[in-house]
Amino acid sequence: MKATVIANSNIAFIKYWGKKDVEQNIPMNQSISMTLDGISTKTTVEFSERFLHDVFILNNQIQTGRKLERVINFINLVRKDNTNAKIVSFNNFPTGAGIASSASGFAALAASLNKALDLEMSDRNLSSLARQGSGSATRSIFGGFVEWQGETAEQLFPEGHWAEIRDLIVILSEEEKKISSRKGMNLTVKKSKHYKTRQKHLPKRIHEVKNAIKKKNFERLAEIIMKDSDDMHKCIEEAGINYLNEKSGEVKKLIKEINKKKIICGYSFDAGPNPHIITLEKHVKEIKKELNKISSKLLIARPGAGVKYTEEHLF
Ligand code: PMV
């Protein structure tokens, strides 16, 4: 059977960085994210005797090497027999630029395999499967505000709970990162002295973020988001890695400047230089104008839904 799924990416408010179990992608710490409406991957999967080998086409390009291998290894987790698969995927945003393409990518792949192979998995089991492709994909199965702990994620609040929140993604660079998050995490856990301190602070931070989302306390949320992003990047720097660039620093400065009167936005950086600016709908126009002084390339997302099945196949 042919199956097609659209999955949204997500931005972590509290970041996952480090694996307790490297093989199984079990995280060192809990993470909390918001699913991003329209920042998505669409994937069609079909298993058929017609295919002489597995084929993976991403953004119109036939994939080989590591990328193909990663997808084949993932399919092998659930493949029922020797039948080969064709996978066609499109990202509607730049791949590998700190916008987690692996999050939407592996969430879309997990869900399309679920349908193509008639696995009838629950969302929690799907989340657990997606985790084995990429950690952040664990959360993208669900919509709204999501928490990941251990093997699987769960929804904290649906996307309608706080519909005014926006993520302005500033595209400063479309280059793929040179150091994968897997490698970055492993080096950080080994080398960073600050890593243990961050881990110690996290339970309180997680509690506070959940509360801020529950009570829609934007100021508190923005403060914690910035603190945790800075904290993760401090650990990464201690491992001799820097995912940010000069312009990332300029955006951070600008956000601090805007927030001097009142906190109306917060920055968050994943493993890449492109800032995610979290704010409320009513401040978007003002913040966009300021950000445009640094880059005119912006994507704007509101809280989005979890994985969606569609009959509009890609082939
Ligand atoms: O999904 P991975 O394994 O590429 O890890 C992503 C890690 C961060 O995006 C930096 C943080 C997170 O929780 O999404």
Side-chain angles (χ1 to χ4, degrees):
M1 206 213 306
K2 204 183 263 187
T4 301
V5 168
I6 299 170
N8 287 320
S9 182
N10 68 78
I11 175 66
F13 292 165
I14 300 292
K15 311 284 187 193
Y16 145 61
W17 197 256
K19 300 170 200 280
K20 204 179 269 173
D21 181 329
V22 175
E23 289 308 308
Q24 293 291 316
N25 258 2
I26 302 292
M28 284 281 199
N29 61 271
Q30 276 155 276
S31 55
I32 294 185
S33 63
M34 179 175 93
T35 303
L36 300 174
D37 184 49
I39 312 284
S40 58
T41 302
K42 183 173 183 180
T43 295
T44 299
V45 171
E46 184 183 14
F47 286 84
S48 167
E49 304 292 341
R50 300 193 323 275
F51 308 135
L52 300 178
H53 50 84
D54 291 326
V55 185
F56 173 37
I57 302 168
L58 174 62
N59 297 335
N60 280 326
Q61 286 181 330
I62 296 182
Q63 303 294 306
T64 54
R66 259 305 287 144
K67 282 192 182 155
L68 173 65
E69 204 182 304
R70 197 169 165 195
V71 163
I72 292 177
N73 288 342
F74 188 77
I75 296 173
N76 287 344
L77 296 170
V78 288
R79 198 194 298 265
K80 286 182 167 165
D81 52 30
N82 286 331
T83 313
N84 292 312
K86 180 173 173 179
I87 303 107
V88 176
S89 273
F90 276 102
N91 290 331
N92 68 354
F93 56 88
T95 301
I99 306 172
S101 64
S102 59
S104 52
F106 279 101
L109 184 58
S112 43
L113 287 168
N114 178 41
K115 186 153 181 221
L117 293 172
D118 249 335
L119 301 173
E120 296 189 1
M121 292 172 106
S122 66
D123 280 353
R124 282 180 78 86
N125 284 344
L126 259 188
S127 166
S128 180
L129 173 62
R131 187 196 77 238
Q132 294 176 70
S134 159
S136 51
T138 317
R139 300 182 306 243
S140 265
I141 298 297
F142 299 98
F145 303 87
V146 181
E147 178 176 27
W148 169 29
Q149 181 174 22
E151 292 188 2
T152 175
E154 65 179 10
Q155 185 180 66
L156 295 171
F157 302 97
E159 53 273 30
H161 166 72
W162 199 358
E164 298 79 15
I165 289 219
R166 293 291 179 276
D167 180 4
L168 275 65
I169 308 167
V170 191
I171 310 288
L172 300 175
S173 160
E174 299 196 20
E175 260 176 55
E176 280 205 44
K177 55 178 171 274
K178 290 185 183 73
I179 300 172
S180 69
S181 37
R182 171 173 284 261
K183 197 167 168 195
M185 283 181 203
N186 294 343
L187 280 171
T188 308
V189 174
K190 260 192 220 142
K191 292 191 171 176
S192 164
K193 289 204 175 78
H194 184 64
Y195 190 78
K196 278 209 177 95
T197 314
R198 175 175 181 251
Q199 293 299 115
K200 238 183 359 211
H201 287 309
L202 280 177
K204 184 162 173 254
R205 222 174 260 172
I206 292 271
H207 178 74
E208 284 187 329
V209 159
K210 280 191 202 171
N211 240 334
I213 299 172
K214 186 175 170 191
K215 296 186 175 144
K216 305 185 192 173
N217 180 344
F218 185 79
E219 280 194 39
R220 192 66 198 120
L221 179 70
E223 277 173 345
I224 305 171
I225 287 175
M226 289 189 279
K227 177 90 195 94
D228 196 58
S229 172
D230 284 346
D231 233 16
M232 181 186 81
H233 284 278
K234 181 177 169 183
C235 297
I236 292 171
E237 263 175 47
E238 285 184 347
I241 305 164
N242 187 4
Y243 287 113
L244 310 182
N245 66 25
E246 218 171 284
K247 293 243 163 168
S248 318
E250 281 178 37
V251 172
K252 267 173 76 165
K253 232 168 106 187
L254 178 70
I255 298 303
K256 283 180 183 159
E257 202 52 47
I258 296 173
N259 280 343
K260 263 189 181 153
K261 273 181 273 163
K262 186 177 188 295
I263 297 176
I264 60 165
C265 51
Y267 57 77
S268 182
F269 294 85
D270 280 341
N274 297 329
H276 289 249
I277 308 302
I278 312 300
T279 187
L280 295 171
E281 207 262 323
K282 61 184 174 193
H283 302 302
V284 165
K285 212 168 146 196
E286 174 190 352
I287 293 167
K288 205 173 142 188
K289 204 171 127 201
E290 290 296 320
L291 289 171
N292 278 343
K293 292 176 188 163
I294 297 174
S295 170
S296 57
K297 280 194 201 162
L298 287 184
L299 302 171
I300 303 182
R302 60 178 71 214
V307 287
K308 264 202 199 108
Y309 295 88
T310 164
E311 292 303 314
E312 285 169 28
H313 303 302
L314 289 169
F315 63 92

